Every structure is written in C-alpha cells, then in structure tokens.
Amino acid sequence: MELSWVNKLRIGAVAALGFIVIGVLAWPLAGPEDPLAPVRSTQIGFSGTLVLLALALGTGFIGHFIAWPHGREIGILGVPFGLLVWIVRSGPMQTLTQADTSPAGREAILQSIRFESAYWLLIIAAGFAGVLIAQRIRSGAGNPLTIDSIKRFLSPHAALLAVASLPVTTVLAHFLLGVFTRDTSTPGAATQPAIGQIIFGGIAAFAAAGFVIKKFLNLSYIWPVVGSILIIPFSLAVYGGSDTIQKYAETEPATLFPHVAFAVLPLQLVTLGAIGAVTGYWLAVRYDYWRKHESGG
C-alpha cells in the first residue's frame, strides 16, 4: 500500500471517525469521576463493555468503507485512534501508587493490572472484526473460505511461527519500551513518564517489533498486537517480586517504579501496541519493496 496523499486522507478520515465515536462519544463509559485518575477497565462495567464493543465493531465496519480499497489495512486503526484520545485524557499510573503507598497496597495495584491488557485487546479485536465483516460483505462470495486456506492457517509451521512471535515481541518491545520511555536521570529506577513520552515510546517499541515480526517471520501485525498483553505479566515475572515491591514501597517514593512498564497503563500498552505494530508491519513491507525495486537488490 503506497502512502500517497489519497491514502493519507483515508487514514485521516478513519482517525477522525475513531476520535468522534470512541474518543468522544464513548468517553462517558470509561471516564473516571476523578479527572486525575487513570482509565481502568474495571470502571466500565458489563453493560458499558457491551456498548463499547458494539461501537468498536461499528467503527471498524464503517472505517473499512471509508478507507476502501484499503479498508483492511487502514480501517483497523479507527478504534486504536479513538482510544488514543482516552490515553491523552487519562490520569497517570502514579495516581494509583500514590493512593496506597504500603507494600501490600503497591503489590495489589500491580497484580490488578496483570491481565487488564486482555480487556483492551478485546475492544480492539471488535474493531478488527467489524473490518472483516465489512470486507466479507463487499467481496461477497468472491473470496470463499476453503479447506486449503484453513489447512494453511492451521499448519504446524504457521502455528510454530505464530507462537515464536509472541516471546520475540514481548522481549523486544519490553526492552525498547525501557529505552524510549524511561527517564535516564534516575539510574536503577523509572519515574512516571510524561504522556507524550509514553505515546512515542510505546509506538516506537511496537513498530520495531512489528517490523521484525514481518521481516524475519513474515507474519502480520496481529501477533505483535496480541503480544502487547504479555508485557505486564513479563514485567511482573522479572521485576515484580514481593521483595522488590516491598523494597520500593519502603524506600522509594510512589512515583518510582522497578521498570517503566509498570508506569504504563494497560490501555496505553495495547492501544500504542496496535498503532505501532501496524506501522512497523508496513514499514517492513515498504522496506522489502525498496530493496527489490529501488535499490537494485
């Protein structure tokens, strides 16, 4: 997909759709009563989740037609762009850690976000499902699902590559998140990054992961996006032991974290992971095109 001015307009239109539907209209579903508090999935509730899923599905569906003939490539960004508005409006992680500075409280906070990323992945997946439904309606019976296509998808080789992509994404994105987002002025600890630094670091880290996964494993951006939900569990396994948390709670201010991944909300990780992974995927595609057609390689 060439990033011509027409495609830039398509991306802008899909982004505007996400901003309006998810970022603005759906904000009351998740907006905390305290404007300084972070956005958490626990604030939305079951009925709110159903509404949000429906809005995400509709955003992906409409986004496909707005971005046609590149609806599959661009329409999937509608929901992440909408959630980007929530990221900007959300309070930081340090609001939670400052609310309870005891070792038990700090550990409970970190444990509470262990699997929250899966919730936000579900919302983004609903947007992707909307794109696929729209694509199916538009193509009609032109691209039937065949036994051979199912066998290729479920082949041991494809499954092995998909499974291998998850730890690669986790380790690489985790490392680069620490490089791009961490405040180097505090050796041995991480402070709460500014929201602009989180956005840049998150997108850059997952863009690199998306590039590597496409370039060396020839897999789509889906797998790095899925890998984003493993960042916090991985961080807890490496840096989140009870002794470490107790040490930080007793000796460090609540604005310091053992690793910067603990200062990034699950909403931020998954949303920026989706935008970054898609960006890295198309950078890899464009790089391969350049190698074959423009560099004489």
Side-chain angles (χ1 to χ4, degrees), residues 21-22 48-59 126:
V21 176
I22 303 297
T49 297
L50 293 180
V51 174
L52 184 55
L53 286 171
L55 291 174
L57 186 74
T59 298

Side-chain angles (χ1 to χ4, degrees), residues 247-274:
K247 172 188 173 183
Y248 268 79
E250 293 177 346
T251 63
E252 304 289 352
T255 55
L256 288 184
F257 303 88
H259 190 274
V260 74
F262 296 129
V264 182
L265 295 166
L267 167 64
Q268 296 168 335
L269 275 173
V270 178
T271 300
L272 300 175

Side-chain angles (χ1 to χ4, degrees), residues 1 4 22 31 35 45 60-61 108 115 175 177 238 240 244 261 265 270:
M1 182 184 69
S4 63
I22 303 297
F61 185 86
F115 301 114
F175 171 75
L177 194 68
V238 177
T244 302
L265 295 166
V270 178

Side-chain angles (χ1 to χ4, degrees), residues 26-94:
W27 171 251
L29 297 173
E33 296 181 3
D34 181 358
L36 298 179
V39 174
R40 301 287 308 277
S41 62
T42 52
Q43 301 162 344
I44 298 178
F46 180 73
S47 60
T49 297
L50 293 180
V51 174
L52 184 55
L53 286 171
L55 291 174
L57 186 74
T59 298
F61 185 86
I62 297 172
H64 175 274
F65 291 102
I66 290 177
W68 187 87
H70 300 297
R72 172 76 176 260
E73 295 82 4
I74 299 175
I76 58 172
L77 293 172
V79 174
F81 276 132
L83 293 176
L84 193 61
V85 177
W86 291 15
I87 287 176
V88 174
R89 299 184 67 174
S90 173
M93 180 67 183
Q94 71 176 21

Side-chain angles (χ1 to χ4, degrees), residues 188-266:
T191 59
Q192 176 67 60
I195 184 59
Q197 190 176 6
I198 289 176
I199 292 174
F200 167 76
I203 292 178
F206 281 94
F211 183 95
V212 168
I213 295 303
K214 170 57 180 173
K215 176 65 180 173
F216 297 103
L217 299 181
N218 196 29
L219 295 175
S220 80
Y221 43 74
I222 292 176
W223 299 107
V225 176
V226 173
S228 67
I229 70 174
L230 302 177
I231 298 295
I232 292 178
F234 178 75
S235 300
L236 285 170
V238 177
Y239 300 99
S242 298
D243 294 341
T244 302
I245 299 303
Q246 182 174 358
K247 172 188 173 183
Y248 268 79
E250 293 177 346
T251 63
E252 304 289 352
T255 55
L256 288 184
F257 303 88
H259 190 274
V260 74
F262 296 129
V264 182
L265 295 166

